[in-house]
């Protein structure tokens, strides 16, 4: 899987020192099952939190398939939520009756809890995309990976009002055996992709659409972005791709759990 960007990623550059203070100061929460309420905080770091009794481990293998079977496709949206682009993406998805999986960056979820709640209310699923979108986190220590994953899980769960992420997608595909096992132990299936639309490079709407049409035989999980820059091309591409997929006889589903 291709890496998007380099180094710490654009989020790391944005949040800087303020992120470090936020992450270090954050306490752990007691999580409940999907759609349950968040419990009280613990003085321990989220990185050292123990799985709650109702958190069920899932497979550690990276999910690519769709719960809709051979003619299923999974729309996945990374890097948000963003106050400009996420509402537009939600509007397009609603227009075509499509449910998607939103892979959220912890700091973005924390900054825009209203959008996280809108995503959940619309019937979409949540995915942990780390705290700061560090595409080189696979080169870091296990303790660093743990904080990136578990702190983001807490941020997203709290922002949603108690709905836990069901998946973990490593920034740029920077998975490690440890990060996959940790996420799976928290009930978050590692999530990959089959079609990288490269929309983050802003190649033009036509190019994004052409990539999907050309690479769809590679598998059902499609990768788009709703943050990290101007995503107008993504919005327009989705407006063309979603009805095209329906016309081709595809059903929209979620990655297998």
């Amino acid at each position: 899987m291709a890496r998007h960007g380099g180094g710490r990623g654009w989020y790391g550059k944005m949040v800087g020192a303020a992120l470090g203070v936020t992450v270090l100061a954050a306490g752990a929460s007691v999580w409940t099952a999907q759609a349950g309420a968040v419990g009280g905080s613990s003085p321990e770091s989220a990185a050292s939190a123990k799985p709650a009794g109702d958190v069920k481990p899932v497979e550690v293998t990276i999910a690519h398939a769709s719960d809709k079977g051979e003619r299923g496709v999974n729309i996945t949206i990374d890097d948000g939520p963003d106050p400009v682009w996420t509402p537009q993406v939600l509007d397009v998805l609603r227009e075509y009756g499509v449910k998607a999986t939103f892979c959220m960056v912890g700091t973005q979820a924390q900054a825009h809890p209203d959008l996280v709640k809108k995503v959940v209310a619309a019937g979409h699923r949540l995915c942990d995309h780390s705290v700061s979108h560090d595409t080189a986190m696979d080169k870091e220590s296990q303790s660093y990976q743990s904080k990136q994953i578990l702190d983001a899980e807490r941020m997203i769960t709290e922002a949603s009002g108690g709905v836990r992420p069901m998946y973990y997608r490593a920034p740029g595909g920077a998975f490690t055996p440890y990060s996959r096992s940790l996420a799976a132990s928290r009930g978050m299936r590692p999530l990959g992709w089959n079609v990288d639309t490269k929309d983050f490079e802003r190649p033009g709407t036509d190019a994004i659409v052409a990539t999907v049409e050309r690479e769809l035989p590679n598998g059902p999980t499609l990768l788009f972005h709703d943050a990290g820059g101007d995503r107008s091309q993504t919005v327009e591409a989705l407006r063309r791709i979603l009805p095209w997929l329906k016309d081709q006889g595809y059903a929209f589903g979620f990655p297998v759990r």
Side-chain angles (χ1 to χ4, degrees), residues 4 28 94 105 108 110 136 214 230:
H4 300 163
R94 181 172 60 251
V105 172
Q108 292 295 104
Q110 188 177 60
R214 181 180 66 252
D230 184 340

Side-chain angles (χ1 to χ4, degrees), residues 64-74 219-221 249-256:
H64 293 97
S66 175
D67 62 3
K68 294 297 185 180
E70 293 184 0
R71 298 297 290 177
V73 290
N74 309 318
T221 303
Y250 286 96
F252 296 95
F254 292 111
V256 292

Side-chain angles (χ1 to χ4, degrees), residues 210-232:
T211 296
V212 172
E213 294 176 348
R214 181 180 66 252
E215 297 187 11
L216 190 57
N218 293 340
T221 303
L222 282 56
L223 172 60
F224 299 90
H225 297 78
D226 63 342
D230 184 340
R231 295 293 169 242
S232 56

Side-chain angles (χ1 to χ4, degrees), residues 63-238:
H64 293 97
S66 175
D67 62 3
K68 294 297 185 180
E70 293 184 0
R71 298 297 290 177
V73 290
N74 309 318
I75 303 298
T76 65
I77 314 290
D78 282 19
D79 294 1
D82 179 272
V84 174
W85 304 112
T86 302
Q88 294 185 47
V89 170
L90 287 171
D91 285 346
V92 175
L93 294 172
R94 181 172 60 251
E95 180 179 351
Y96 294 102
V98 174
K99 305 302 180 186
T101 300
F102 283 77
C103 299
M104 296 186 174
V105 172
T107 52
Q108 292 295 104
Q110 188 177 60
H112 306 290
D114 56 326
L115 292 177
V116 182
K117 291 179 176 67
K118 286 182 179 179
V119 167
V120 172
H124 306 293
R125 288 186 179 179
L126 301 177
C127 170
D128 179 333
H129 201 34
S130 83
V131 170
S132 60
H133 201 271
D134 181 356
T135 59
M137 64 182 285
D138 56 333
K139 304 298 192 295
E140 301 290 344
S141 67
Q142 290 185 356
S143 61
Y144 177 87
Q145 295 176 50
S146 179
K147 283 193 66 65
Q148 284 284 317
I149 295 168
L150 298 184
D151 282 2
E153 180 191 13
R154 174 187 53 77
M155 291 173 175
I156 295 166
T157 302
E158 290 180 349
S160 73
V163 178
R164 298 182 62 253
M166 299 178 68
Y167 307 93
Y168 166 66
R169 172 174 276 166
F175 287 104
T176 67
Y178 174 77
S179 69
R180 289 191 292 108
S181 295
L182 176 63
S185 75
R186 295 293 308 160
M188 297 183 291
R189 179 74 182 267
L191 176 59
W193 62 82
N194 304 106
V195 179
D196 185 351
T197 66
K198 300 293 180 69
D199 62 332
F200 63 94
E201 295 179 350
R202 302 192 70 247
T205 300
D206 289 346
I208 297 170
V209 173
T211 296
V212 172
E213 294 176 348
R214 181 180 66 252
E215 297 187 11
L216 190 57
N218 293 340
T221 303
L222 282 56
L223 172 60
F224 299 90
H225 297 78
D226 63 342
D230 184 340
R231 295 293 169 242
S232 56
Q233 294 178 4
T234 301
V235 173
E236 291 310 309
L238 284 169

